Amino acid sequence: MTFETSEPAAPAADQPVVPVAPPPSPSVPATGAAVGRPPTSEVPLVEVEGLVKYYPIMGGFLRRHVGDVKAVDGVSFWVNRGEVLGLVGESGCGKSTLGKTLIQLTPPTAGLAKLDGEPIFGKKGKDLKKLRRRMQIIFQDPVGSLNPRMPISDIIGEGLLAQADAENRWGDRKVRDKRVGDYLDAVGLRRDYTRRYPHEFSGGQRQRIGIARALALSPDFLICDEPVSALDVSIQSQILNLLLDLRREFDLTYLFIAHNLSVVQYISDRVGVMYLGKLVELAEVEELYRRPRHPYSVALLSAVPDANPRVRKKRLVLTGDVPSPAAPPSGCHFHTRCWLYEQLGQPEVCTTADPEFRDIGDGHLVACHWAEKVPTAVVASAVPTAEVTTDTVAMPAAGIPAAPPIDAGPPTEEATASGT
């Protein structure tokens, strides 16, 4: 997708607020280079450029096309091999749609995506079937994602049977059952669970079964679509540590989608923030949590509770509701709720020009006209982990609590497989 590169207009002259300097000229990526492409020569495992997914709105007596729901609107990023890229944002911002579109559970409207240099979109039939061995997904709902009429051996083995050929011999029941048992062992469940049904397991055990199903085809890339949001806190930490262990054991790469910023901080190497179908910030996890440069990211981090009662945070409450993706605001989609937009005197450029997703240094990508104008004092008061860039003030690194490392062995609720 081509991003707006026109010069932003100056703030209106009749607005009596603190004057601000014009934003710096955004750096335009080289021709043909993906937005946010890493500076190294290493080819990322996954590359996405200008990904768009619109859902048509049909209306009138003749059911004509009257508009679109812009679920994903020009998203670009990359994921290096062996990396965990976290993706956060409010409900309805397009995170899950992005993951499902990337894995071709729903077709894209526009954009490019590559897996290890090989195009993902446009493949059909045998080519798509072969590619899907390398990409799998872990669903959010551990109950609804498992067929209640099938035993666990068939649920995990269904993908193996679909991908069976003369070379792997997965069509042989004995070969398939052995592989199913191996992956049950890998996720901390017993082999003799293969003939049981989903209702006989707890929520944490069902999610482990979903993970085993995703791993059975030996994929390179896993999309984790909020895999712990439906679980209680103690089981969440077990599943997170299990995913980290599996990442090391099987050399996996994750796109980890979640709402919980503490969970994302614990498991991710880099973090992307989405708002209304667009990626607004992308950076290394330490960089984003200590020096957020987008007003929306600052507001999200200010809402994270801190386990230390002595830490005092100033909550940045966003006014208004999230705009409809069927009719997003002009210019920057976030300007209708942006505290920085109000503080700078409502600059006209925010309402007229779509900000470019640009690098402000060290691979820190931000889609904001005024990213360099985000006050460090405001960030420091709202995000206790933030670094103040002045010479005389330094905030203590209180830290956002991360899930404690817990052994990824069999969950304690396995003692009773009665579904409680």
mmCIF file with all atom_site columns, all heavy atoms in Angstrom, residues 245-257:
data_model
loop_
_atom_site.group_PDB
_atom_site.id
_atom_site.type_symbol
_atom_site.label_atom_id
_atom_site.label_alt_id
_atom_site.label_comp_id
_atom_site.label_asym_id
_atom_site.label_entity_id
_atom_site.label_seq_id
_atom_site.pdbx_PDB_ins_code
_atom_site.Cartn_x
_atom_site.Cartn_y
_atom_site.Cartn_z
_atom_site.occupancy
_atom_site.B_iso_or_equiv
_atom_site.pdbx_formal_charge
_atom_site.auth_seq_id
_atom_site.auth_comp_id
_atom_site.auth_asym_id
_atom_site.auth_atom_id
_atom_site.pdbx_PDB_model_num
ATOM 1   N N   . ASP A 1 245 ? 8.656  -22.757 25.792 1.00 0.00 ? 245 ASP A N   1
ATOM 2   C CA  . ASP A 1 245 ? 9.431  -24.001 25.712 1.00 0.00 ? 245 ASP A CA  1
ATOM 3   C C   . ASP A 1 245 ? 9.309  -24.628 24.327 1.00 0.00 ? 245 ASP A C   1
ATOM 4   O O   . ASP A 1 245 ? 10.300 -25.109 23.755 1.00 0.00 ? 245 ASP A O   1
ATOM 5   C CB  . ASP A 1 245 ? 8.945  -24.988 26.781 1.00 0.00 ? 245 ASP A CB  1
ATOM 6   C CG  . ASP A 1 245 ? 9.315  -24.558 28.191 1.00 0.00 ? 245 ASP A CG  1
ATOM 7   O OD1 . ASP A 1 245 ? 10.231 -23.713 28.332 1.00 0.00 ? 245 ASP A OD1 1
ATOM 8   O OD2 . ASP A 1 245 ? 8.683  -25.041 29.153 1.00 0.00 ? 245 ASP A OD2 1
ATOM 9   N N   . LEU A 1 246 ? 8.094  -24.639 23.772 1.00 0.00 ? 246 LEU A N   1
ATOM 10  C CA  . LEU A 1 246 ? 7.884  -25.212 22.439 1.00 0.00 ? 246 LEU A CA  1
ATOM 11  C C   . LEU A 1 246 ? 8.598  -24.399 21.367 1.00 0.00 ? 246 LEU A C   1
ATOM 12  O O   . LEU A 1 246 ? 9.099  -24.956 20.384 1.00 0.00 ? 246 LEU A O   1
ATOM 13  C CB  . LEU A 1 246 ? 6.391  -25.274 22.133 1.00 0.00 ? 246 LEU A CB  1
ATOM 14  C CG  . LEU A 1 246 ? 5.569  -26.237 22.999 1.00 0.00 ? 246 LEU A CG  1
ATOM 15  C CD1 . LEU A 1 246 ? 4.082  -26.073 22.722 1.00 0.00 ? 246 LEU A CD1 1
ATOM 16  C CD2 . LEU A 1 246 ? 6.004  -27.684 22.769 1.00 0.00 ? 246 LEU A CD2 1
ATOM 17  N N   . ARG A 1 247 ? 8.657  -23.104 21.568 1.00 0.00 ? 247 ARG A N   1
ATOM 18  C CA  . ARG A 1 247 ? 9.380  -22.241 20.624 1.00 0.00 ? 247 ARG A CA  1
ATOM 19  C C   . ARG A 1 247 ? 10.844 -22.652 20.545 1.00 0.00 ? 247 ARG A C   1
ATOM 20  O O   . ARG A 1 247 ? 11.420 -22.743 19.445 1.00 0.00 ? 247 ARG A O   1
ATOM 21  C CB  . ARG A 1 247 ? 9.247  -20.791 21.066 1.00 0.00 ? 247 ARG A CB  1
ATOM 22  C CG  . ARG A 1 247 ? 10.115 -19.797 20.323 1.00 0.00 ? 247 ARG A CG  1
ATOM 23  C CD  . ARG A 1 247 ? 10.195 -18.503 21.111 1.00 0.00 ? 247 ARG A CD  1
ATOM 24  N NE  . ARG A 1 247 ? 11.078 -17.523 20.521 1.00 0.00 ? 247 ARG A NE  1
ATOM 25  C CZ  . ARG A 1 247 ? 11.457 -16.414 21.122 1.00 0.00 ? 247 ARG A CZ  1
ATOM 26  N NH1 . ARG A 1 247 ? 11.032 -16.137 22.345 1.00 0.00 ? 247 ARG A NH1 1
ATOM 27  N NH2 . ARG A 1 247 ? 12.278 -15.565 20.535 1.00 0.00 ? 247 ARG A NH2 1
ATOM 28  N N   . ARG A 1 248 ? 11.458 -22.901 21.702 1.00 0.00 ? 248 ARG A N   1
ATOM 29  C CA  . ARG A 1 248 ? 12.870 -23.311 21.706 1.00 0.00 ? 248 ARG A CA  1
ATOM 30  C C   . ARG A 1 248 ? 13.039 -24.719 21.160 1.00 0.00 ? 248 ARG A C   1
ATOM 31  O O   . ARG A 1 248 ? 13.982 -25.004 20.409 1.00 0.00 ? 248 ARG A O   1
ATOM 32  C CB  . ARG A 1 248 ? 13.419 -23.219 23.123 1.00 0.00 ? 248 ARG A CB  1
ATOM 33  C CG  . ARG A 1 248 ? 13.598 -21.798 23.635 1.00 0.00 ? 248 ARG A CG  1
ATOM 34  C CD  . ARG A 1 248 ? 14.328 -21.787 24.965 1.00 0.00 ? 248 ARG A CD  1
ATOM 35  N NE  . ARG A 1 248 ? 13.504 -22.352 26.019 1.00 0.00 ? 248 ARG A NE  1
ATOM 36  C CZ  . ARG A 1 248 ? 12.713 -21.645 26.821 1.00 0.00 ? 248 ARG A CZ  1
ATOM 37  N NH1 . ARG A 1 248 ? 12.627 -20.334 26.675 1.00 0.00 ? 248 ARG A NH1 1
ATOM 38  N NH2 . ARG A 1 248 ? 12.002 -22.242 27.764 1.00 0.00 ? 248 ARG A NH2 1
ATOM 39  N N   . GLU A 1 249 ? 12.131 -25.623 21.535 1.00 0.00 ? 249 GLU A N   1
ATOM 40  C CA  . GLU A 1 249 ? 12.274 -27.025 21.154 1.00 0.00 ? 249 GLU A CA  1
ATOM 41  C C   . GLU A 1 249 ? 12.065 -27.253 19.660 1.00 0.00 ? 249 GLU A C   1
ATOM 42  O O   . GLU A 1 249 ? 12.776 -28.047 19.031 1.00 0.00 ? 249 GLU A O   1
ATOM 43  C CB  . GLU A 1 249 ? 11.274 -27.869 21.952 1.00 0.00 ? 249 GLU A CB  1
ATOM 44  C CG  . GLU A 1 249 ? 11.366 -29.365 21.673 1.00 0.00 ? 249 GLU A CG  1
ATOM 45  C CD  . GLU A 1 249 ? 10.407 -30.176 22.526 1.00 0.00 ? 249 GLU A CD  1
ATOM 46  O OE1 . GLU A 1 249 ? 9.746  -29.577 23.414 1.00 0.00 ? 249 GLU A OE1 1
ATOM 47  O OE2 . GLU A 1 249 ? 10.313 -31.406 22.319 1.00 0.00 ? 249 GLU A OE2 1
ATOM 48  N N   . PHE A 1 250 ? 11.094 -26.551 19.070 1.00 0.00 ? 250 PHE A N   1
ATOM 49  C CA  . PHE A 1 250 ? 10.733 -26.790 17.675 1.00 0.00 ? 250 PHE A CA  1
ATOM 50  C C   . PHE A 1 250 ? 11.123 -25.637 16.745 1.00 0.00 ? 250 PHE A C   1
ATOM 51  O O   . PHE A 1 250 ? 10.726 -25.644 15.575 1.00 0.00 ? 250 PHE A O   1
ATOM 52  C CB  . PHE A 1 250 ? 9.232  -27.045 17.562 1.00 0.00 ? 250 PHE A CB  1
ATOM 53  C CG  . PHE A 1 250 ? 8.768  -28.279 18.287 1.00 0.00 ? 250 PHE A CG  1
ATOM 54  C CD1 . PHE A 1 250 ? 8.046  -28.177 19.466 1.00 0.00 ? 250 PHE A CD1 1
ATOM 55  C CD2 . PHE A 1 250 ? 9.061  -29.545 17.804 1.00 0.00 ? 250 PHE A CD2 1
ATOM 56  C CE1 . PHE A 1 250 ? 7.613  -29.304 20.144 1.00 0.00 ? 250 PHE A CE1 1
ATOM 57  C CE2 . PHE A 1 250 ? 8.636  -30.682 18.475 1.00 0.00 ? 250 PHE A CE2 1
ATOM 58  C CZ  . PHE A 1 250 ? 7.913  -30.564 19.652 1.00 0.00 ? 250 PHE A CZ  1
ATOM 59  N N   . ASP A 1 251 ? 11.866 -24.655 17.248 1.00 0.00 ? 251 ASP A N   1
ATOM 60  C CA  . ASP A 1 251 ? 12.325 -23.522 16.447 1.00 0.00 ? 251 ASP A CA  1
ATOM 61  C C   . ASP A 1 251 ? 11.138 -22.820 15.770 1.00 0.00 ? 251 ASP A C   1
ATOM 62  O O   . ASP A 1 251 ? 11.101 -22.637 14.549 1.00 0.00 ? 251 ASP A O   1
ATOM 63  C CB  . ASP A 1 251 ? 13.331 -23.984 15.390 1.00 0.00 ? 251 ASP A CB  1
ATOM 64  C CG  . ASP A 1 251 ? 14.048 -22.805 14.723 1.00 0.00 ? 251 ASP A CG  1
ATOM 65  O OD1 . ASP A 1 251 ? 14.111 -21.726 15.348 1.00 0.00 ? 251 ASP A OD1 1
ATOM 66  O OD2 . ASP A 1 251 ? 14.522 -22.963 13.580 1.00 0.00 ? 251 ASP A OD2 1
ATOM 67  N N   . LEU A 1 252 ? 10.169 -22.415 16.583 1.00 0.00 ? 252 LEU A N   1
ATOM 68  C CA  . LEU A 1 252 ? 8.940  -21.823 16.081 1.00 0.00 ? 252 LEU A CA  1
ATOM 69  C C   . LEU A 1 252 ? 9.021  -20.297 16.035 1.00 0.00 ? 252 LEU A C   1
ATOM 70  O O   . LEU A 1 252 ? 9.827  -19.681 16.741 1.00 0.00 ? 252 LEU A O   1
ATOM 71  C CB  . LEU A 1 252 ? 7.753  -22.227 16.965 1.00 0.00 ? 252 LEU A CB  1
ATOM 72  C CG  . LEU A 1 252 ? 7.420  -23.718 17.010 1.00 0.00 ? 252 LEU A CG  1
ATOM 73  C CD1 . LEU A 1 252 ? 6.384  -24.000 18.083 1.00 0.00 ? 252 LEU A CD1 1
ATOM 74  C CD2 . LEU A 1 252 ? 6.921  -24.202 15.650 1.00 0.00 ? 252 LEU A CD2 1
ATOM 75  N N   . THR A 1 253 ? 8.185  -19.719 15.212 1.00 0.00 ? 253 THR A N   1
ATOM 76  C CA  . THR A 1 253 ? 8.025  -18.276 15.116 1.00 0.00 ? 253 THR A CA  1
ATOM 77  C C   . THR A 1 253 ? 6.563  -17.961 15.388 1.00 0.00 ? 253 THR A C   1
ATOM 78  O O   . THR A 1 253 ? 5.677  -18.611 14.824 1.00 0.00 ? 253 THR A O   1
ATOM 79  C CB  . THR A 1 253 ? 8.418  -17.774 13.711 1.00 0.00 ? 253 THR A CB  1
ATOM 80  O OG1 . THR A 1 253 ? 9.776  -18.157 13.443 1.00 0.00 ? 253 THR A OG1 1
ATOM 81  C CG2 . THR A 1 253 ? 8.286  -16.260 13.612 1.00 0.00 ? 253 THR A CG2 1
ATOM 82  N N   . TYR A 1 254 ? 6.299  -16.965 16.256 1.00 0.00 ? 254 TYR A N   1
ATOM 83  C CA  . TYR A 1 254 ? 4.928  -16.671 16.667 1.00 0.00 ? 254 TYR A CA  1
ATOM 84  C C   . TYR A 1 254 ? 4.501  -15.264 16.248 1.00 0.00 ? 254 TYR A C   1
ATOM 85  O O   . TYR A 1 254 ? 5.284  -14.311 16.342 1.00 0.00 ? 254 TYR A O   1
ATOM 86  C CB  . TYR A 1 254 ? 4.782  -16.731 18.193 1.00 0.00 ? 254 TYR A CB  1
ATOM 87  C CG  . TYR A 1 254 ? 4.984  -18.083 18.833 1.00 0.00 ? 254 TYR A CG  1
ATOM 88  C CD1 . TYR A 1 254 ? 5.477  -18.178 20.138 1.00 0.00 ? 254 TYR A CD1 1
ATOM 89  C CD2 . TYR A 1 254 ? 4.684  -19.263 18.175 1.00 0.00 ? 254 TYR A CD2 1
ATOM 90  C CE1 . TYR A 1 254 ? 5.655  -19.397 20.762 1.00 0.00 ? 254 TYR A CE1 1
ATOM 91  C CE2 . TYR A 1 254 ? 4.868  -20.489 18.781 1.00 0.00 ? 254 TYR A CE2 1
ATOM 92  C CZ  . TYR A 1 254 ? 5.355  -20.558 20.071 1.00 0.00 ? 254 TYR A CZ  1
ATOM 93  O OH  . TYR A 1 254 ? 5.537  -21.771 20.680 1.00 0.00 ? 254 TYR A OH  1
ATOM 94  N N   . LEU A 1 255 ? 3.235  -15.158 15.839 1.00 0.00 ? 255 LEU A N   1
ATOM 95  C CA  . LEU A 1 255 ? 2.506  -13.888 15.860 1.00 0.00 ? 255 LEU A CA  1
ATOM 96  C C   . LEU A 1 255 ? 1.521  -14.017 17.005 1.00 0.00 ? 255 LEU A C   1
ATOM 97  O O   . LEU A 1 255 ? 0.544  -14.770 16.906 1.00 0.00 ? 255 LEU A O   1
ATOM 98  C CB  . LEU A 1 255 ? 1.791  -13.629 14.539 1.00 0.00 ? 255 LEU A CB  1
ATOM 99  C CG  . LEU A 1 255 ? 0.893  -12.376 14.499 1.00 0.00 ? 255 LEU A CG  1
ATOM 100 C CD1 . LEU A 1 255 ? 1.711  -11.116 14.726 1.00 0.00 ? 255 LEU A CD1 1
ATOM 101 C CD2 . LEU A 1 255 ? 0.120  -12.293 13.187 1.00 0.00 ? 255 LEU A CD2 1
ATOM 102 N N   . PHE A 1 256 ? 1.782  -13.305 18.110 1.00 0.00 ? 256 PHE A N   1
ATOM 103 C CA  . PHE A 1 256 ? 1.016  -13.489 19.345 1.00 0.00 ? 256 PHE A CA  1
ATOM 104 C C   . PHE A 1 256 ? 0.041  -12.332 19.507 1.00 0.00 ? 256 PHE A C   1
ATOM 105 O O   . PHE A 1 256 ? 0.441  -11.187 19.746 1.00 0.00 ? 256 PHE A O   1
ATOM 106 C CB  . PHE A 1 256 ? 1.966  -13.566 20.546 1.00 0.00 ? 256 PHE A CB  1
ATOM 107 C CG  . PHE A 1 256 ? 1.309  -14.023 21.817 1.00 0.00 ? 256 PHE A CG  1
ATOM 108 C CD1 . PHE A 1 256 ? 1.273  -15.366 22.141 1.00 0.00 ? 256 PHE A CD1 1
ATOM 109 C CD2 . PHE A 1 256 ? 0.736  -13.109 22.676 1.00 0.00 ? 256 PHE A CD2 1
ATOM 110 C CE1 . PHE A 1 256 ? 0.659  -15.796 23.304 1.00 0.00 ? 256 PHE A CE1 1
ATOM 111 C CE2 . PHE A 1 256 ? 0.119  -13.525 23.853 1.00 0.00 ? 256 PHE A CE2 1
ATOM 112 C CZ  . PHE A 1 256 ? 0.082  -14.871 24.167 1.00 0.00 ? 256 PHE A CZ  1
ATOM 113 N N   . ILE A 1 257 ? -1.253 -12.621 19.365 1.00 0.00 ? 257 ILE A N   1
ATOM 114 C CA  . ILE A 1 257 ? -2.307 -11.618 19.453 1.00 0.00 ? 257 ILE A CA  1
ATOM 115 C C   . ILE A 1 257 ? -2.912 -11.667 20.851 1.00 0.00 ? 257 ILE A C   1
ATOM 116 O O   . ILE A 1 257 ? -3.266 -12.738 21.345 1.00 0.00 ? 257 ILE A O   1
ATOM 117 C CB  . ILE A 1 257 ? -3.388 -11.877 18.388 1.00 0.00 ? 257 ILE A CB  1
ATOM 118 C CG1 . ILE A 1 257 ? -2.769 -11.819 16.987 1.00 0.00 ? 257 ILE A CG1 1
ATOM 119 C CG2 . ILE A 1 257 ? -4.538 -10.890 18.509 1.00 0.00 ? 257 ILE A CG2 1
ATOM 120 C CD1 . ILE A 1 257 ? -3.681 -12.340 15.896 1.00 0.00 ? 257 ILE A CD1 1
#
